[in-house]
């Protein structure tokens, strides 16, 4: 099977890495890709938001499967354009992708499907915003209704900051604060059958100790030894399957990756948000542990045959990923800095480097080209070993002005050691 992956971040590098290890994949292509993906796939220039251009590329390559990585092309209808050309595609239609593209639409679906989530108000005027903020009180949770590349949410105890963010949005969802730890759970679905993956936890704040501004994610780990063993089955029954069933009932079947961001609250599991694609950086650790070949799984979702697949197989160990970010991220990042030590990092036992925001300069050197530059990922027999390997690999990388969190999976690893 020839596979074309759309996108160019660490999530797409993780997908391409797993697909490159699948013996059923005879040719792997990525558009537009990045400097790291070029090592495992043939790259092609394309406007990832142009459905016709992506479909033309897929046809010209003879692709048997197209995997759309980021959310923006999905909301723009790229998967629809590829499907119309008769090519199986992993990724929801534009209408179904509104589950991520509009927080208000997601709330409507959850209400109809009786999915547990935070109480919320959808606001479009300053008066509605003030009423909602007053109704819930601090800490304030303010979400841009549309796509915001993982940065559209403000959680703050500062009323002025919450109001400023809300007023900057055309339409905003203001909701009650959910206490408890957060969990990311992905599920593969063909619109009827839902196959959950293993849960992961990511770290949104820029600095150690969950300090600093929100980011797209600074690291992740899997599995979650502290989570209830019944968590996945519970979420499948109360969140994932009802949501897929409701979208199908509405005539907008969801096929692809359904990502539930969850809070494990004192009152039970609640949905924080849905995404319509693999999450970054959780994908890096989840795919690191998946033993089932990826291409067949994604193709089954794209062709409506998930029910016929055997149960997924997973490694017994753990995975940790640490994001190396550019100077000033999550503000406007500095780009063009040379990255050194990549070979040394990749030679670390159990570790490998996934490229997020990288490019090749005129001399062929790998340079930074985005905010989150690298996802250094490692596996091990347990979280402590995976974590030690990941940070040993990070220590071998040199990027001027870069920063990374030093506490990814630290508390849970220490807790296991003490327990």
């Amino acid at each position: 099977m020839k596979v074309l992956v759309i996108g160019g971040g660490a999530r797409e590098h993780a997908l391409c890495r797993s697909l490159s290890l699948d013996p059923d994949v005879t040719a792997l292509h990525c558009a537009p890709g990045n400097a790291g993906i070029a090592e495992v796939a043939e790259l092609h220039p394309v406007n990832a938001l142009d459905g016709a251009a992506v479909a033309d590329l897929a046809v010209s390559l003879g692709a048997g499967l197209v995997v759309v990585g980021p959310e923006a092309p999905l909301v723009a209808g790229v998967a629809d354009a590829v499907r119309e050309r008769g090519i199986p595609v992993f990724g929801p239609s534009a209408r179904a992708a509104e589950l991520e593209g509009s927080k208000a639409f997601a709330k409507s679906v959850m209400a109809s499907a009786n999915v547990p989530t935070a109480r919320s108000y959808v606001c479009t005027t300053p008066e509605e915003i003030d009423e909602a903020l007053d109704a819930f009180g601090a800490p304030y949770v303010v979400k841009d209704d549309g796509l915001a590349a993982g940065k559209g949410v403000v959680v703050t105890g500062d009323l002025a900051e919450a109001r400023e963010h809300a007023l900057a949005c055309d339409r905003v969802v203001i909701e009650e604060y959910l206490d408890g730890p957060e969990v990311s759970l992905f599920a593969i679905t063909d619109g009827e059958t839902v196959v959950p993956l293993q849960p992961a936890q990511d770290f949104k704040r820029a600095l150690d100790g969950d300090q600093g501004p929100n980011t797209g994610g600074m690291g992740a780990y899997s599995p979650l030894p502290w989570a209830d063993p019944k968590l996945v089955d519970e979420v499948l029954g109360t969140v994932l399957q009802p949501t897929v069933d409701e979208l199908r009932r509405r005539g907008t079947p969801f096929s692809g990756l359904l990502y539930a961001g969850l809070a494990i609250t004192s009152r039970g599991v609640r949905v924080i948000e849905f995404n319509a694609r693999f999450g970054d950086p959780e994908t890096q650790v989840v795919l690191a542990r998946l033993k089932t070949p990826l291409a067949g799984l994604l193709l089954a979702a794209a062709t409506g045959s998930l029910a016929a697949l055997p149960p997924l197989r997973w490694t017994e160990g753990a995975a940790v990923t640490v994001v190396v970010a550019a100077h000033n991220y999550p503000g406007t990042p500095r780009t063009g800095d040379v990255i050194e030590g990549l070979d040394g990092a990749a030679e670390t036992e159990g570790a490998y480097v996934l490229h997020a925001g990288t490019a090749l300069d005129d001399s062929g050197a790998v340079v930074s080209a985005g905010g989150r530059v690298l996802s250094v990922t490692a596996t091990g027999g347990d979280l402590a070993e995976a974590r030690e390997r990941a940070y040993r690999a990070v220590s071998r990388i040199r990027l001027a002005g870069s920063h990374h969190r030093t506490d990814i999976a630290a508390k849970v690893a220490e807790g296991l050691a003490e327990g």
Side-chain angles (χ1 to χ4, degrees):
M1 174 174 25
K2 294 179 181 178
V3 181
L4 169 62
V5 176
I6 302 302
R11 164 186 45 224
E12 288 76 36
H13 195 175
L15 288 164
C16 285
R17 180 182 181 274
S18 291
L19 290 166
S20 74
L21 299 173
D22 188 332
D24 288 336
V25 176
T26 55
L28 182 58
H29 302 269
C30 187
N34 63 38
I37 295 173
E39 297 176 8
V40 295
E42 183 180 344
L43 303 190
H44 304 269
V46 77
N47 177 356
L49 298 176
D50 186 337
V54 171
D56 287 344
L57 176 61
V59 170
S60 71
L61 295 173
L65 173 67
V66 174
V67 179
V68 183
E71 61 273 23
L74 292 169
V75 172
V78 167
D80 304 82
V82 175
R83 275 195 195 92
E84 287 168 7
R85 304 291 285 274
I87 299 172
V89 57
F90 182 81
S93 67
R95 289 180 66 196
E98 279 297 290
L99 200 63
E100 176 170 2
S102 168
K103 304 287 191 302
F105 176 74
K107 288 290 187 181
S108 167
V109 171
M110 284 187 271
S112 298
N114 292 315
V115 169
T117 187
R119 293 179 299 120
S120 64
Y121 295 102
V122 179
C123 307
T124 56
T125 68
E127 293 76 21
E128 290 173 345
I129 288 168
D130 289 339
E131 286 178 16
L133 291 171
D134 183 58
F136 288 129
Y140 304 99
V141 181
V142 184
K143 299 181 176 181
D144 191 332
D145 179 56
L147 293 181
K151 298 173 197 159
V153 179
V154 165
V155 181
T156 179
D158 186 329
L159 176 60
E161 182 185 2
R163 191 171 189 274
E164 180 183 16
H165 182 67
L167 290 171
C169 305
D170 289 333
R171 186 159 75 153
V172 65
V173 175
I174 296 173
E175 62 185 40
E176 66 175 328
Y177 176 76
L178 296 175
D179 64 333
E182 295 184 12
V183 173
S184 300
L185 184 61
F186 302 161
I188 308 285
T189 179
D190 57 11
E192 293 192 24
T193 301
V194 181
V195 178
L197 304 184
Q198 289 286 300
Q201 187 173 58
D202 78 331
F203 294 73
K204 287 290 187 196
R205 297 286 184 172
L207 307 175
D208 285 4
D210 292 327
Q211 300 299 304
N214 263 346
T215 72
M218 294 298 291
Y221 70 94
S222 179
L224 310 181
W226 50 267
D228 188 328
K230 303 190 192 78
L231 175 65
V232 173
D233 288 341
E234 178 188 347
V235 175
L236 175 62
T238 62
V239 173
L240 299 170
Q241 191 70 57
T243 299
V244 169
D245 292 345
E246 172 62 18
L247 286 166
R248 188 174 68 252
R249 187 191 68 76
R250 292 181 177 213
T252 56
F254 188 105
S255 167
L257 193 290
L258 178 58
Y259 164 154
L262 309 165
I264 313 301
T265 77
S266 55
R267 293 173 292 143
V269 174
R270 298 287 186 272
V271 175
I272 301 170
E273 65 176 356
F274 282 124
N275 290 330
R277 39 73 194 178
F278 280 102
D280 182 350
E282 300 98 320
T283 300
Q284 289 85 303
V285 292
V286 172
L287 292 186
R289 299 184 53 230
L290 180 65
K291 290 173 71 174
T292 299
L294 185 60
L297 176 61
L298 303 187
L299 183 64
T303 56
S305 54
L306 264 182
L309 283 190
L312 300 183
R313 295 179 296 117
W314 299 90
T315 64
E316 290 296 318
V320 172
T321 192
V322 179
V323 170
V324 177
H327 175 72
N328 201 44
Y329 178 80
T332 303
R334 191 174 76 204
T335 59
D337 289 313
V338 174
I339 305 166
E340 299 177 308
L342 291 172
D343 289 343
E347 290 167 3
T348 305
E349 183 179 5
Y352 50 90
V353 180
L354 299 170
H355 292 231
T358 67
L360 295 176
D361 68 9
D362 293 340
S363 67
V366 180
V367 298
S368 59
R372 291 185 294 173
V373 181
L374 304 168
S375 284
V376 181
T377 304
T379 56
D382 58 23
L383 280 169
E385 183 175 51
R387 185 174 184 279
E388 190 275 329
R389 289 173 171 178
Y391 278 106
R392 197 184 331 150
V394 168
S395 72
R396 294 175 174 173
I397 294 170
R398 294 177 300 284
L399 170 61
S402 67
H403 62 98
H404 63 271
R405 283 186 59 159
T406 65
D407 61 348
I408 304 299
K411 284 184 180 177
V412 68
E414 290 166 7
L416 288 174
E418 292 167 0

